[in-house]
Amino acid sequence: CIMDGNRSFQQHASTPAAEPPSSAGSANLPMAHAGQRHPRPLRAAALTVACWGGAAGWSTEGHERIGSIAQHLLKGKHRAEARTLLEGDLVEFAGWEKEMSEKRPETKALHWHRQTPEWTCSAGLGINGKVHCDNKEAADDSILCVLSVTFKKYAHDAVLREYPIASDPLWNSESNFDWKNYIKDHHFEGLFGSATAELRWMVTLIGDMHQPLHWLRENDYGRDIKVTFRGKEYTLLSFWEDFMPTQLPPPPTQFELDQQYSSRIQTWVNMAPGELFRSWAKEGSEQACYRIYAGMDLSNTSAPVVVTEEVFSRWRSLASELTSRAGQRVAFVLLDLLEHRRHKEAHSQGRGRTTRHTSHSTNLAKNAAIAAFLVPGLLFLFRWHDQNSGRAGAGFSLGRFGVGGGGEGAGASKKN
């Protein structure tokens, strides 16, 4: 739990990288009432529990904003289906994480990225640019891997086969991580004892993926850095998790949300789930390095870092954009799982069903290739059968169906 104090990100402080485009909206989107919010699991016991004190993810206000944005993208029957799946609207359990973290502190570790050795901004997330759930590049029970294994648990294999083939799977063939055994070993049955509980966890983890400080363990995820803003002192982590969500501008309008979402899903639907989640992880880690830590003067570790109004304005825009993306991605994943659910039901009844991952051109090409071999083969067999059955006096001829021989085959059959 003790951080080594290495502040390698100072290399970036003097030369901030170009910031990715931000498109925080400004017009009003109705915000629903706050309810509860989400938790998080870890793997060892007493010693590890002591390491995860303090803030655990976006505050209740942050998760409420994410849930509200997601809910406004779930329309018509999809909103009702998601409500059934989660046993409530998304904003109704915005405070669930905080509540569960207080009741079960040992669950907090699931909401953070951990790897061995830990990464730095100079090296990048993972090891040598690679991130896999192998307990080295990413711990099996860290945020990326738990999110991915939960999605996989509720996905339908037939639909997963319609996704693009992963060029670099998140789990390699040697991985032996078993989510059921993990839950049992850590006595989390009460927390993960139902589909509703596990899917609420999944929604929460997607939100926490978009809190950049959850990716970089250096400086204890920002707890070791003191900042002051308008005369008040915070840790960097509490500033981002607790204070920042209360300062955000209104969410994007429904029209802006719909436009952003329809544009972004074109990329998301063309990626395998594990690779998609990993791309979101890398995005979050880069935000931590180049849009939060970059430009911070950490040369004097004994004095708090002053957050200027200019820096605050940039961070506020970033947090607004990140919560908006989180809400859109929550909606995307829930809609995906609802499609998996419908496909599974249809499959159990022997009915076929297409999904948004179905490639019609690929299916057409496959069917044409099959037909190119199958149809001539069947015609050959029918003709062979026709000729041989005619000689044997079976009385059956394809000629009556207009296949290979017309009426002559029928006539020959009658004579025999």
Side-chain angles (χ1 to χ4, degrees):
C1 301
I2 299 175
M3 309 310 295
D4 60 12
N6 184 337
R7 301 171 182 262
S8 63
F9 55 78
Q10 290 181 18
Q11 301 171 19
H12 299 277
S14 57
T15 55
E19 295 186 356
S22 176
S23 56
S26 56
N28 290 330
L29 177 70
M31 297 293 288
H33 62 282
Q36 303 163 304
R37 167 184 163 198
H38 300 191
R40 349 174 140 176
L42 108 171
R43 64 212 293 209
L47 177 62
T48 314
V49 170
C51 306
W52 300 100
W58 288 114
S59 65
T60 298
E61 290 82 1
H63 278 289
E64 181 184 359
R65 181 185 177 96
I66 292 168
S68 180
I69 289 171
Q71 197 158 297
H72 281 81
L73 291 168
L74 298 171
K75 301 174 183 178
K77 67 175 184 178
H78 294 140
R79 182 179 294 187
E81 289 173 344
R83 185 185 300 117
T84 300
L85 201 63
L86 298 167
E87 295 185 3
D89 288 326
L90 288 162
V91 294
E92 291 178 6
F93 54 93
W96 188 49
E97 178 178 7
K98 180 179 179 181
E99 178 185 338
M100 295 303 295
S101 294
E102 292 172 352
K103 289 181 178 179
R104 298 290 298 271
E106 70 274 19
T107 65
K108 293 182 180 180
L110 292 189
H111 297 256
W112 312 82
H113 174 75
R114 302 186 313 285
Q115 64 176 70
T116 307
E118 293 295 339
W119 69 283
T120 62
C121 285
S122 59
L125 186 69
I127 299 175
N128 297 323
K130 301 289 186 180
V131 182
H132 299 93
C133 294
D134 59 0
N135 251 348
K136 294 179 182 178
E137 296 165 6
D140 283 331
D141 57 350
S142 59
I143 184 170
L144 170 62
C145 303
V146 172
L147 167 61
S148 300
V149 79
T150 305
F151 178 90
K152 187 176 181 181
K153 178 177 179 179
Y154 290 96
H156 187 224
D157 289 341
V159 180
L160 289 176
R161 287 193 291 270
E162 295 189 355
Y163 287 76
I165 298 175
S167 59
D168 185 20
L170 194 58
W171 279 273
N172 58 40
S173 58
E174 298 177 358
S175 174
N176 59 1
F177 179 65
D178 188 304
W179 180 234
K180 289 184 179 179
N181 287 339
Y182 177 83
I183 293 174
K184 183 178 179 180
D185 292 344
H186 294 82
H187 307 292
F188 289 154
E189 292 88 350
L191 299 175
F192 296 93
S194 67
T196 297
E198 291 192 331
L199 292 174
R200 285 188 176 193
W201 272 94
M202 185 192 72
V203 167
T204 304
L205 292 177
I206 295 173
D208 284 344
M209 286 184 81
H210 295 78
Q211 213 295 41
L213 294 176
H214 277 233
W215 294 103
L216 185 57
R217 192 169 185 175
E218 199 165 21
N219 299 290
D220 198 10
Y221 301 102
R223 292 188 187 94
D224 291 344
I225 298 175
K226 304 295 184 183
V227 299
T228 59
F229 179 64
R230 297 175 183 171
K232 189 172 180 179
E233 185 172 290
Y234 311 82
T235 66
L236 180 62
L237 182 63
S238 66
F239 187 84
W240 263 87
E241 296 205 332
D242 301 321
F243 178 71
M244 192 63 75
T246 67
Q247 304 297 308
L248 299 182
T253 63
Q254 186 72 57
F255 177 76
E256 289 172 324
L257 270 181
D258 290 340
Q259 279 197 320
Q260 290 174 3
Y261 182 75
S262 62
S263 172
R264 287 169 173 168
I265 62 171
Q266 302 307 314
T267 299
W268 301 342
V269 296
N270 290 316
M271 298 180 70
E275 291 189 309
L276 178 62
F277 298 149
R278 178 167 51 202
S279 73
W280 296 350
K282 289 185 175 180
E283 176 189 285
S285 68
E286 290 167 358
Q287 302 284 13
C289 290
Y290 305 130
R291 298 186 68 176
I292 297 181
Y293 281 127
M296 293 184 69
D297 182 6
L298 299 172
S299 56
N300 183 2
T301 58
S302 62
V305 177
V306 177
V307 177
T308 65
E309 293 293 338
E310 179 185 358
V311 169
F312 170 72
S313 179
R314 290 204 306 267
W315 285 358
R316 183 172 180 260
S317 295
L318 175 60
S320 178
E321 168 61 15
L322 291 174
T323 51
S324 178
R325 286 191 192 184
Q328 292 173 46
R329 288 167 174 172
V330 165
F332 175 81
V333 173
L334 284 176
L335 287 171
D336 223 29
L337 284 181
L338 288 172
E339 187 61 48
H340 281 260
R341 190 183 188 189
R342 286 190 289 269
H343 197 285
K344 185 176 182 179
E345 291 173 357
H347 192 268
S348 67
Q349 299 167 5
R351 295 185 290 111
R353 183 182 178 89
T354 59
T355 72
R356 58 183 173 182
H357 300 284
T358 302
S359 173
H360 298 288
S361 59
T362 300
N363 288 345
L364 177 61
K366 287 180 180 178
N367 289 334
I370 293 171
F373 289 96
L374 184 60
V375 172
L378 287 174
L379 289 174
F380 173 79
L381 288 173
F382 289 156
R383 184 161 185 148
W384 175 86
H385 182 272
D386 182 50
Q387 292 172 347
N388 284 276
S389 63
R391 295 191 189 99
F396 175 80
S397 173
L398 287 175
R400 70 186 67 174
F401 300 105
V403 178
E408 295 179 5
S413 184
K414 287 178 182 178
K415 289 178 183 180
N416 288 331

